[in-house]
Amino acid sequence: MITGFARPVGGNSPPPFCRLARLATLDAAAEAALVEAISRTQIYRPRRDLTVEGRDIASPQLILSGWAARVRILLDGRRQFLNFLLPGDLVGLYHHHRPLAPASIITLTEMTTCVPPAWGKNASLDEAYAVAEALDEAFLLAQIARLGRMNAMERIGDLMLELHERLSMSELTYGSSFDLPITQETLADALGLTAVHVNRMLQAARRAGDLLWSSRSLTIPDPKALARKVGRAPIRVSGR
Amino acid sequence: MITGFARPVGGNSPPPFCRLARLATLDAAAEAALVEAISRTQIYRPRRDLTVEGRDIASPQLILSGWAARVRILLDGRRQFLNFLLPGDLVGLYHHHRPLAPASIITLTEMTTCVPPAWGKNASLDEAYAVAEALDEAFLLAQIARLGRMNAMERIGDLMLELHERLSMSELTYGSSFDLPITQETLADALGLTAVHVNRMLQAARRAGDLLWSSRSLTIPDPKALARKVGRAPIRVSGR
DNA sequence: CGTTGGGTTGACAATTGTCAATGGCCGTGG
DNA sequence: CCACGGCCATTGACAATTGTCAACCCAACG
């Protein structure tokens, strides 16, 4: 049994554990396998490639702490972050032979990962993996709608609400605040904007009282109001 | 054995069959199961909802003919198509209990579908499903990069190349031409643009000799050149 | 024939990008 | 301890892309 949740970056067990346990009801064997897996961690420095687009995927990984992002680089250097990868997220889990990475993964902070228990060994874990997979897809769809149909202000608000929602699954939020260990340029690359414009919109959001962001900590003063303002509905993926 | 490929909308067996067979090597049992499944078709009229966001997914479906799209509608009516669904595509295939639809699906043309052989019965089919799943994800990632970092001209060219690539998997292309049964407004909703702007860019593309589109038939005079111009690499998902 | 759904055009507005410069903060090395 | 360099945030002036609105045309179709 795991108790006592550590602070964001320090711990080496709680975030992924409580997230997966929330996605499905894990039985004792699943919990044991997870605890065992989590005991063998791997550490990455910031700005390292975890995976390179087009290359073989060695093994799936479970993020224990730190942030990463999937990224696609255009030929002329333009860069688009496809999604953020947060503690508790699974990456590289595919069901076919010799999967190739559909995108590169780059760490944004120091990061620790482990190899999750294999798929197909435990039904309750498989269920959690499947739900995680469906959530990942739902977040990709949300990203498409953001980039395609929202203006800069809405994109920022919507993404912050999503991050809050996701981090809260891993107990990494403090009320309506959370640690946001990225630069404005990174945020711009995720939102399909330029850093300059993101900067301006963030200031507008602060003036409007929608978002407060300083020294790596982001606060959403009134999440419900912001959700209404950007027209956001929480994401659900399973009827259970 | 299936032979003789029918024209786009008419047939009721070839496109999905040859696509799935191309994703993995299907054994005899898999082929038999597929032929059996394809014999029980369902027909939808254009502009019908196949699925509604947030509702239970009854069963997965395999598209035999016709086009559909996954869509997300914002509160104020803005509409974003998330991806196109083409003959041979699988939809609603999830691995967890009581999956909910992450987006609505609407038919763009008349469409016929069937219920594909269940997952977990045949290893070669499962492999094909897994590859299809990975391809779906790769196309979502491509859509994100398009919307986030490409300008209108590049988005159009890139999407047309993608459609050509996908349709050719189902033998639904004629050289560098294919049937494009959508309106400019639909295209705009897929590309995060307005119909007016799409119209202007299409004319520019025609003048530039990049794309010819008339009476539902789109031709890419020089696919390689266009791919180079928009900076596109073909999508691969498996090392085999 | 009238109606309707697309496609097309023009004039104009809004959003977002580009470029260039500045300032703060912080770690490093002399 | 201080100078330096680098990274990041910030600002201003201006340009480019894309959206908005409104009108018109045309072909298909009942």
Side-chain angles (χ1 to χ4, degrees), chain A residues 53-111:
Chain A
E53 179 172 348
R55 289 240 281 264
D56 281 312
I57 295 175
S59 101
Q61 289 192 275
L62 172 60
I63 299 178
L64 299 176
S65 71
W67 286 37
R70 288 208 284 182
V71 63
R72 198 158 272 186
I73 313 270
L74 306 197
L75 294 180
D76 60 356
R78 280 175 287 180
R79 179 167 83 160
Q80 177 65 44
F81 284 155
L82 305 165
N83 60 173
F84 286 116
L85 302 172
L86 310 181
D89 281 353
L90 287 153
V91 304
L93 187 52
Y94 293 95
H95 301 298
H96 58 105
H97 295 318
R98 296 217 37 213
L100 302 180
S104 299
I105 297 179
I106 183 173
T107 57
L108 300 174
T109 67
E110 175 146 316
M111 201 168 93

Side-chain angles (χ1 to χ4, degrees), chain A residues 117-139:
Chain A
W119 191 90
K121 306 283 188 181
N122 176 290
S124 72
L125 253 185
D126 288 352
E127 172 76 6
Y129 290 166
V131 174
E133 215 173 284
L135 274 174
D136 283 346
E137 189 202 20
F139 289 127

Side-chain angles (χ1 to χ4, degrees), chain B residues 47 149 182-185 196 199-200 203 206:
Chain B
R47 295 156 188 275
R149 283 297 176 227
I182 62 177
T183 66
Q184 293 184 359
E185 186 175 6
V196 171
N199 180 284
R200 288 194 244 265
Q203 290 177 59
R206 179 176 324 137

Side-chain angles (χ1 to χ4, degrees), chain A residues 141-221:
Chain A
L141 300 184
Q143 170 79 333
I144 291 174
R146 251 197 305 270
L147 296 179
R149 284 296 178 227
M150 291 185 173
N151 62 33
M153 201 64 231
E154 294 168 327
R155 290 186 207 180
I156 294 175
D158 187 68
L159 178 60
M160 292 308 151
L161 288 167
E162 177 184 305
L163 290 172
H164 184 266
E165 194 178 310
R166 290 173 61 185
L167 289 168
S168 74
M169 292 285 291
S170 307
E171 316 267 8
L172 290 173
T173 52
Y174 315 103
S176 62
S177 301
F178 58 90
D179 183 47
L180 186 61
I182 63 176
T183 67
Q184 292 184 1
E185 187 175 6
T186 299
L187 187 55
D189 283 338
L191 293 176
L193 301 169
T194 59
V196 171
H197 199 59
V198 163
N199 181 282
R200 288 194 243 264
M201 293 299 103
L202 279 172
Q203 291 177 58
R206 179 175 325 136
R207 279 196 299 276
D210 289 333
L211 296 173
L212 305 173
W213 184 12
S214 66
S215 59
R216 288 191 31 156
S217 173
L218 187 130
T219 301
I220 307 174

